[in-house]
């Protein structure tokens, strides 16, 4: 933290971490430590702010902007650790703390961003930028800081600042509640099968996973399916029982929309309304205008134009895919119209028929440790990085693996990978930094601590974790984000423009199915056989299969997002009716 502790605290979050590479001592950190650490961090940053605003010297980059940049080190440290745990290994205590701290954190940010004395000092430095002989990075930090204050309400009247504070406080709590409801709804749905006939079509590996899940819940002899990705998507892809596919589909799609205590409809409506109120208060036509101002597209119209161009190209392809599925249904004697819960099932059938390939044929060559070594191989070839697993590094869950990253035998950073789903982890895949790279106040290079989190098929019995080609692509994608953090070399931790964030990940995922790379890592988990050239060729031919659907699905979600956030009046919306009309 910024102010070095003179005596060791009983709260490990307030101490320097006496661990390899300064990794948080997760075994010592308890939920009860977080709130006191947050409050201490708030006070430390407030004290620095007080010093900045009471300094009678002429405002300069060093005594204003640099001081601001380093003012929240303890807060960043605590919030990054808490955020990582709360998203990947949460519990009731952490969720309660999240709800408790959200409005306090919002107030703390507003106390800084809406402090007029502080803003006038920032503005003075910004207005006199040319006289300070700044580096390009310092110019970016100054520009981001000044515009960040303006976009956070620094130019508002006192009355409007109070309105903004209220909006920000409410939004902070709503977003936490939304995520907690979604996790609870995901964990709250299960499909238990006790008749083996209902497993028809499901591969043996999927059945084994479901049997193991049932046994873990005290239901030995049955099969348990959940809404977590490694359970849901194989069921929807292979299960012959159409009624059960519909049940799973509705369980997945209706999360947060069941009229119970975890319903998110009103939360969504409130978030949309408050975002419009905030945007209008800050002088913008809509929330979309507010967000896009600092992004490449600049305005909603350009986004909509871009989406429309892709939509025009993708929709005919998606419709042709739907027609092919309906033709297969009719050919097989199915007396029904294609429904959403049929899509993955018939997509897989057509893929098998058209390209003679299926995910189950590929999985044995995509054992998770081999895929991991494959992405390490690419990073070594491209960037000269080496990855060594370290068992002496603290981890927040036994499933997490930790690697020291080096280049030319010099330490670069630490990479943690958390592969498999659990009830304490939210869905999806993401990459974050428990500690970002930067220079400290003394000019010492601080190396990053990066975490990759996914929800891949776990091992079962004697079968290790075997990935689909899509899951392997996801791993490479998140690794691109990790490399971005690991190879960062900046003085400050202000970050890059939002439009750039996905570039390293997009580049990295393009390597996953390159034949040269596949021959390095894609080895049969039982025989060690390198993936045959014939299978590589099938993967290449099937690479664009179903992309009409996946593109239109993504575009529909993007368009709906734009519909919500292009609203210009803070009206209450009925989510179901709004989405139906928008679509």
């Amino acid at each position: 933290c910024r102010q070095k502790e003179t005596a060791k605290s009983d709260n490990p979050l307030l101490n320097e971490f006496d661990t390899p590479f300064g990794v948080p001592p997760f075994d010592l950190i308890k939920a009860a430590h977080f709130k006191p650490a947050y409050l201490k961090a708030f006070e430390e940053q407030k004290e620095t702010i007080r010093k900045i605003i009471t300094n009678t010297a002429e405002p300069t980059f060093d005594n204003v902007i640099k001081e601001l940049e380093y003012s929240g080190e303890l807060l960043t440290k605590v919030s990054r650790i808490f955020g990582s745990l709360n998203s990947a290994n949460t519990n009731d205590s952490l969720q309660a703390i999240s709800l408790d701290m959200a409005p306090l954190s919002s107030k703390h940010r507003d106390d800084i961003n809406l402090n007029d004395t502080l803003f006038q000092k920032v503005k003075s430095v910004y207005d006199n930028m040319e006289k300070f002989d700044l580096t390009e990075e310092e110019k970016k930090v100054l520009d981001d800081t000044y515009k960040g204050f303006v976009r956070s309400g620094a130019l508002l009247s006192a009355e409007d600042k109070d309105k903004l504070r209220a909006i920000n406080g409410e939004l902070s709590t709503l977003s936490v509640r939304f995520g907690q409801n979604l996790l609870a709804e995901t964990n709250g749905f299960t499909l238990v099968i006790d008749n083996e006939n209902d497993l028809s079509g499901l591969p043996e590996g999927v059945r084994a996973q479901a049997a193991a899940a049932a046994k873990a819940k005290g239901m030995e002899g049955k099969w348990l399916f959940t809404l977590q990705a490694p359970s849901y998507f194989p069921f929807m892809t292979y299960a012959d029982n159409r009624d059960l596919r519909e049940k799973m589909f509705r369980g997945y799609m209706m999360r947060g929309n069941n009229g119970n205590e975890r319903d998110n409809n009103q939360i969504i409506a409130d978030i949309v309304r408050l975002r419009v109120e905030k945007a209008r208060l800050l002088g913008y036509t809509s929330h979309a205008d507010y967000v896009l101002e600092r992004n490449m597209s600049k305005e909603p119209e350009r986004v909509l134009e871009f989406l429309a161009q892709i939509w025009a190209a993708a929709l005919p392809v998606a419709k042709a895919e739907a027609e092919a599925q309906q033709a297969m249904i009719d050919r097989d004697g199915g007396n029904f119209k294609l429904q959403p819960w049929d899509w993955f099932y018939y997509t897989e059938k057509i893929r098998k028929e058209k390209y003679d390939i299926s995910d189950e044929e590929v999985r044995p060559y995509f054992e998770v440790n081999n895929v991991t070594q494959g992405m390490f191989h690419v990073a070594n070839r491209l960037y000269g990085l080496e990855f060594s697993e370290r068992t002496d590094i603290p981890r927040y869950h036994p499933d997490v693996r930790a690697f020291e990253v080096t280049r030319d035998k010099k330490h670069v950073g630490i990479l943690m990978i958390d592969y498999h789903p659990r009830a304490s982890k939210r869905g999806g895949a993401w990459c974050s930094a428990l500690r970002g790279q930067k220079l400290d106040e003394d000019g010492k290079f601080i190396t990053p601590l990066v975490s990759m989190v996914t929800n891949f098929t776990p091992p079962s019995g004697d079968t290790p974790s075997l990935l689909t080609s899509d899951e392997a692509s996801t791993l490479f994608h998140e690794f691109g984000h990790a490399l971005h953090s690991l190879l960062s070399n900046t003085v400050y931790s202000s970050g890059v423009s939002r439009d750039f964030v996905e570039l390293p990940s997009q580049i990295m995922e393009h390597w996953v199915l390159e034949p040269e790379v596949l021959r390095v890592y894609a080895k049969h988990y039982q025989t060690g056989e390198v993936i045959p050239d014939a299978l590589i060729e099938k993967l290449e031919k099937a690479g664009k299969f179903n992309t009409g659907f996946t593109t239109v699905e993504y575009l529909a979600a993007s368009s709906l997002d734009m519909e919500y956030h292009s609203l210009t009046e803070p009206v209450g919306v009925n989510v179901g009716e709004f989405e139906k009309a928008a679509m």
Side-chain angles (χ1 to χ4, degrees):
C1 61
R2 181 177 172 81
Q3 297 177 356
K4 305 299 182 184
E5 298 292 328
T6 55
K8 198 164 187 179
S9 171
D10 292 334
N11 188 333
L13 291 167
L14 301 179
N15 298 323
E16 295 291 329
F17 296 152
D18 185 19
T19 57
F21 310 106
V23 174
F26 294 108
D27 57 325
L28 301 179
I29 298 172
K30 309 302 179 188
H33 292 136
F34 280 106
K35 186 170 182 178
Y38 266 113
L39 297 178
K40 172 73 171 175
F42 292 157
E43 281 307 312
E44 281 199 3
Q45 189 167 28
K46 287 177 182 177
E47 179 58 32
T48 302
I49 300 302
R50 280 191 286 268
K51 289 180 179 178
I52 295 173
I53 63 178
T54 57
N55 187 347
T56 57
E58 177 191 4
T60 66
F61 183 89
D62 283 349
N63 67 24
V64 178
I65 307 302
K66 186 175 180 179
E67 284 291 312
L68 263 176
E69 277 290 300
Y70 287 106
S71 68
E73 287 196 324
L74 178 58
L75 182 57
T76 299
K77 170 184 170 182
V78 173
S79 59
R80 285 191 174 193
I81 295 170
F82 179 79
S84 293
L85 291 177
N86 194 39
S87 59
N89 195 31
T90 195
N91 54 46
D92 290 344
S93 296
L94 292 179
Q95 291 194 350
I97 292 167
S98 184
L99 276 173
D100 195 19
M101 296 310 303
L104 296 181
S105 296
S106 177
K107 180 182 181 302
H108 177 72
R109 288 190 297 271
D110 284 339
D111 286 345
I112 296 173
N113 293 326
L114 301 178
N115 185 310
D116 189 60
T117 306
L118 178 61
F119 173 65
Q120 292 306 323
K121 286 181 174 283
V122 171
K123 185 176 185 301
S124 175
V125 180
Y126 182 78
D127 289 342
N128 295 283
M129 183 187 303
E130 298 307 319
K131 69 187 284 187
F132 295 118
D133 191 28
L134 303 179
T135 66
E136 288 303 310
E137 183 180 354
E138 288 170 339
K139 289 178 183 178
K140 180 185 183 301
V141 171
L142 175 54
D143 188 68
D144 287 347
T145 301
Y146 173 75
K147 291 177 180 175
F149 269 86
V150 173
R151 287 168 55 79
S152 297
L155 296 176
L156 295 178
S157 67
E159 181 182 356
D160 283 346
K161 284 180 179 180
D162 287 341
K163 292 179 182 178
L164 183 62
R165 284 176 179 273
I167 292 171
N168 286 341
E170 195 172 349
L171 280 171
S172 68
T173 302
L174 288 170
S175 61
V176 172
R177 286 175 53 206
F178 181 93
Q180 292 183 358
N181 286 345
L182 180 59
L183 179 62
E185 288 275 89
T186 300
N187 290 333
F189 179 95
T190 56
L191 174 67
V192 179
I193 292 177
D194 54 15
N195 184 342
E196 193 167 1
N197 292 333
D198 289 332
L199 301 176
S200 174
L202 294 172
E204 187 53 45
V206 177
R207 298 185 184 203
Q209 289 280 353
K215 184 177 180 180
K217 295 289 186 180
M219 295 182 285
E220 189 166 5
K222 299 181 180 181
W223 296 267
L224 175 66
F225 295 90
T226 72
L227 299 182
Q228 292 173 334
S231 180
Y232 174 79
F233 288 106
F235 190 91
M236 298 301 294
T237 301
Y238 297 108
D240 291 332
N241 190 315
R242 189 167 184 255
D243 291 338
L244 292 182
R245 292 203 311 271
E246 180 181 359
K247 187 174 182 180
M248 284 286 282
F249 174 83
R250 293 190 182 279
Y252 188 85
M253 296 302 294
M254 293 297 290
R255 291 174 298 168
N257 191 24
N258 291 304
N260 56 20
E261 70 279 6
R262 298 188 293 268
D263 193 280
N264 273 333
N265 278 279
Q266 190 58 51
I267 290 177
I268 293 172
D270 288 342
I271 288 174
V272 170
R273 172 180 55 81
L274 288 166
R275 285 178 174 175
V276 178
E277 285 186 20
K278 179 175 178 177
R280 295 295 299 271
L281 195 61
L282 292 169
Y284 297 88
T285 304
S286 69
H287 179 72
D289 286 280
Y290 170 71
V291 171
L292 293 171
E293 180 190 47
R294 294 289 282 165
N295 288 288
M296 189 184 302
S297 59
K298 300 301 180 188
E299 54 191 23
E301 291 74 19
R302 294 186 69 186
V303 174
L304 294 172
E305 180 183 342
F306 178 63
L307 293 177
Q309 288 176 1
I310 309 174
W311 181 268
L315 188 59
V317 180
K319 286 184 175 180
E321 291 167 354
E323 290 168 1
Q325 293 196 30
Q326 187 65 58
M328 176 174 275
I329 292 169
D330 297 341
R331 186 192 70 191
D332 293 347
N335 187 25
F336 57 85
K337 183 180 178 182
L338 178 71
Q339 295 296 332
W341 47 89
D342 299 317
W343 192 278
F344 290 109
Y345 180 76
Y346 283 99
T347 292
E348 183 65 14
K349 283 186 173 297
I350 292 174
R351 188 203 318 265
K352 181 68 177 174
E353 186 176 272
K354 191 171 183 179
Y355 298 103
D356 190 27
I357 191 173
S358 71
D359 281 339
E360 293 309 302
E361 185 180 3
V362 174
R363 275 185 189 271
Y365 295 96
F366 283 73
E367 192 272 328
V368 69
N369 296 311
N370 288 343
V371 179
T372 300
Q373 290 304 315
M375 69 185 192
F376 288 169
H377 169 80
V378 173
N380 176 259
R381 291 288 303 277
L382 294 178
Y383 310 115
L385 299 176
E386 300 281 353
F387 299 81
S388 304
E389 187 157 14
R390 297 283 298 257
T391 58
D392 59 332
I393 291 176
R395 295 163 295 158
Y396 60 82
H397 190 277
D399 286 350
V400 176
R401 297 176 66 190
F403 300 87
E404 182 186 4
V405 187
T406 59
R407 180 158 54 185
D408 298 328
K409 299 185 178 179
K410 294 180 180 178
H411 180 75
V412 170
I414 296 296
L415 173 64
M416 294 185 172
I417 309 181
D418 183 356
Y419 295 102
H420 307 304
R422 50 182 174 268
S424 62
K425 181 195 288 190
R426 66 178 173 88
W430 65 94
C431 180
S432 59
L434 282 152
R435 181 180 68 226
Q437 176 278 320
K438 64 174 181 177
L439 299 187
D440 68 11
E441 289 179 286
D442 300 321
K444 178 184 176 184
F445 190 91
I446 304 299
T447 57
L449 168 56
V450 183
S451 174
M452 287 170 53
V453 186
T454 59
N455 279 275
F456 296 153
T457 305
S460 176
D462 295 331
T463 304
S465 174
L466 304 176
L467 308 185
T468 65
S469 58
D470 283 345
E471 287 176 326
S473 180
T474 297
L475 190 64
F476 270 62
H477 177 101
E478 298 305 331
F479 187 55
H481 288 306
L483 290 173
H484 183 184
S485 295
L486 287 165
L487 297 175
S488 176
N489 184 10
T490 62
V491 176
Y492 302 101
S493 58
S494 54
V496 298
S497 298
R498 182 65 181 85
D499 291 297
F500 180 83
V501 169
E502 292 300 323
L503 179 64
S505 55
Q506 293 290 327
I507 289 173
M508 193 64 199
E509 71 178 64
H510 283 296
W511 290 99
V512 66
L513 296 182
E514 278 295 311
E516 179 184 347
V517 177
L518 280 169
R519 294 185 184 103
V520 169
Y521 77 83
K523 301 175 182 178
H524 198 284
Y525 79 98
Q526 290 174 314
T527 65
E529 172 200 16
V530 175
I531 189 169
D533 287 347
L535 192 50
I536 293 178
E537 187 177 345
K538 290 179 183 179
L539 279 169
E540 288 179 331
K541 287 182 178 179
K544 301 295 188 293
F545 181 70
N546 200 43
T547 53
F549 166 78
T550 56
T551 304
V552 166
E553 181 185 44
Y554 182 81
L555 289 173
S558 301
S559 298
L560 178 60
D561 182 77
M562 288 300 295
E563 290 277 353
Y564 271 126
H565 292 130
S566 296
L567 289 172
T568 58
E569 296 294 335
V571 296
V573 299
N574 179 297
V575 170
E577 292 177 1
F578 182 89
E579 295 191 359
K580 184 177 181 181
M583 289 294 94

